[in-house]
């Protein structure tokens, strides 16, 4: 079975994880058009190549970031969301 | 003592009663103290035994500030996915940077868990301090003991729990028998032992699954008395 490394729990079978989709920047809350919001919520980029995704280790409900190549399905790196959203950046 | 007359019952007390459990009072709860032959159960516990501790005290705290608040209460905290024994026999299991599960001692006394419950109700200088998690209600608590415990887990769990690779007081939060579980290795006076905490709604699923997995090692249910005897 494919093995993924959870930043909190270490290496686990991929069946313990679920992918929550690409990390994307939401549009500015004031002034964004309905189309921009709809695109953010419902459309995905479907990039062929390296993407940054939200993943969750289900037994611990731990959300983290993974960088994955969608062509080869190779997981390049996993890390805590705090690394991407340093305090103050996401407020 | 009939557990049906108690306000706090194990999630699987009917199954335990069917297996011949004799319930007795341990602190203020009814536990399966033995299954008819305590001496044989002690031997089983050394080889491969399963006991249900679901009625015993435990509590959790999680959320930003929880670890800080617990430290201020005098709880010694290990690092993430580790457990630390407390002076009164309780075990603090750190499930995340700000998530701690506290298992009471086998004697069933309120001890540290009771003290933290009371302390939580009072105002605190540590804010934020997270929020309490009623682990006694949300999780069933089994303990798997004996030299062959790791062999049994190897059939149900992908994480290597063998004693040589999974040290005492290590924690694995993973899938066991295809459902989510917390496994904490906490040896009982030299006898290999793993606490297994599972969602209370899956307790009735886990008990027969564990017994089935244990059958090839001639393991089986053991009462609270056998666990206490292991500690002596």
């Amino acid at each position: 079975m494919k093995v993924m490394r959870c930043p909190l729990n270490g290496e686990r079978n991929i069946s313990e994880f679920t992918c929550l989709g690409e990390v994307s920047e939401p549009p500015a809350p004031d002034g964004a058009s309905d189309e921009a919001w709809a695109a953010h919520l419902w459309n995905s980029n479907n990039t062929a190549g390296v993407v940054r995704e939200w993943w969750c280790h289900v037994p611990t409900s731990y959300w983290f970031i993974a960088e994955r190549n969608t062509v080869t399905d190779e997981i390049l790196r996993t890390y805590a969301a705090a690394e991407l959203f340093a305090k103050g950046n996401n407020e | 003592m009939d557990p049906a007359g108690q306000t706090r019952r194990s999630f699987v007390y009917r199954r335990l009663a069917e297996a011949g459990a004799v319930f007795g009072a341990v602190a203020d709860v009814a536990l399966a103290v033995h299954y008819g032959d305590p001496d044989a159960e002690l031997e089983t516990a050394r080889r491969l035994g399963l006991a249900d501790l679901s009625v015993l005290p435990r509590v959790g705290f999680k959320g930003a500030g929880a670890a800080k608040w617990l430290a201020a209460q005098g709880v010694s905290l290990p690092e993430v996915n580790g457990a630390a024994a407390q002076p009164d026999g309780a075990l603090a299991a750190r499930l995340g940077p700000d998530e701690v599960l506290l298992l009471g001692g086998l004697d069933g006394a309120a001890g540290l868990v009771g003290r933290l419950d009371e302390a939580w109700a009072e105002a605190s200088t540590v804010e934020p301090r997270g929020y309490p998690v009623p682990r006694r209600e949300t999780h069933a608590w089994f303990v798997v003991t004996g030299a062959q415990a790791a062999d049994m887990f190897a059939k149900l769990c992908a994480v290597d729990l063998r004693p040589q690779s999974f040290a005492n007081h290590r924690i694995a939060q993973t899938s066991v028998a295809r459902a989510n579980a917390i496994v904490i290795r906490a040896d009982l006076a030299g006898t290999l032992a793993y606490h297994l905490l599972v969602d209370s709604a899956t307790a009735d699923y886990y008990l027969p699954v564990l017994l089935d997995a244990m059958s090839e090692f001639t393991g089986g249910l053991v009462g609270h008395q056998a666990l206490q005897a292991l500690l002596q």
Side-chain angles (χ1 to χ4, degrees), chain B residues 168-194:
Chain B
N168 197 25
H169 288 174
R170 286 267 303 138
I171 298 175
Q173 303 177 72
T174 183
S175 170
V176 175
R178 301 186 184 208
N180 298 332
I182 303 166
V183 183
I184 306 166
R185 180 177 164 201
D187 294 355
L188 298 172
T191 301
L192 187 61
Y194 300 91

Side-chain angles (χ1 to χ4, degrees), chain B:
Chain B
M1 189 183 242
D2 180 10
Q6 304 290 311
T7 47
R8 191 178 286 283
R9 297 181 288 261
S10 166
F11 308 104
V12 289
Y13 80 95
R14 290 189 184 87
R15 282 190 186 272
L16 301 183
E18 272 170 33
V22 174
F23 290 90
V26 175
D28 60 345
V29 293
L31 256 180
V33 285
H34 64 79
Y35 292 82
D37 189 348
D39 293 335
E41 284 164 40
L42 176 57
E43 286 314 304
T44 306
R46 288 205 173 102
R47 197 172 63 246
L48 181 60
L50 172 67
D52 169 49
L53 303 177
S54 291
V55 289
L56 293 184
R58 60 193 170 283
V59 70
F61 296 93
K62 72 188 287 189
K68 204 175 158 199
W69 182 78
L70 285 167
Q73 298 299 319
V75 178
S76 59
L77 292 175
E79 58 230 55
V80 173
N81 280 322
Q86 307 298 314
D88 75 331
L91 193 68
R94 192 155 189 184
L95 305 180
D98 260 323
E99 181 172 4
V100 179
L101 160 69
L102 291 123
L103 297 175
L106 288 186
D107 59 1
L112 175 67
V113 172
R115 190 164 65 72
L116 289 173
D117 272 336
E118 284 168 23
W120 182 265
E122 291 161 19
S124 166
T125 52
V126 179
E127 287 292 349
R129 52 174 174 159
Y131 52 93
V133 191
R135 295 282 188 180
R136 206 174 181 179
E137 281 73 31
T138 61
H139 281 67
W141 179 7
F142 296 111
V143 59
V144 180
T145 68
Q148 289 179 303
D151 299 333
M152 192 277 294
F153 271 113
K155 297 165 67 179
L156 303 176
C157 176
V159 177
D160 184 358
L161 298 176
R162 289 173 303 164
Q164 64 268 37
S165 35
F166 194 75
N168 197 25
H169 288 174
R170 286 267 303 138
I171 298 175
Q173 303 177 72
T174 183
S175 170
V176 175
R178 301 186 184 208
N180 298 332
I182 303 166
V183 183
I184 306 166
R185 180 177 164 201
D187 294 355
L188 298 172
T191 301
L192 187 61
Y194 300 91
H195 294 298
L196 177 69
L197 287 112
V198 298
D199 190 310
S200 55
T202 61
D204 202 51
Y205 157 74
Y206 267 104
L207 188 69
V209 164
L210 292 169
L211 290 173
D212 179 59
M214 292 167 97
S215 59
E216 74 171 278
F217 306 105
T218 59
L221 285 165
V222 298
H224 183 256
Q225 213 169 309
L227 297 184
Q228 292 284 53
L230 278 182
L231 288 174
Q232 276 153 26

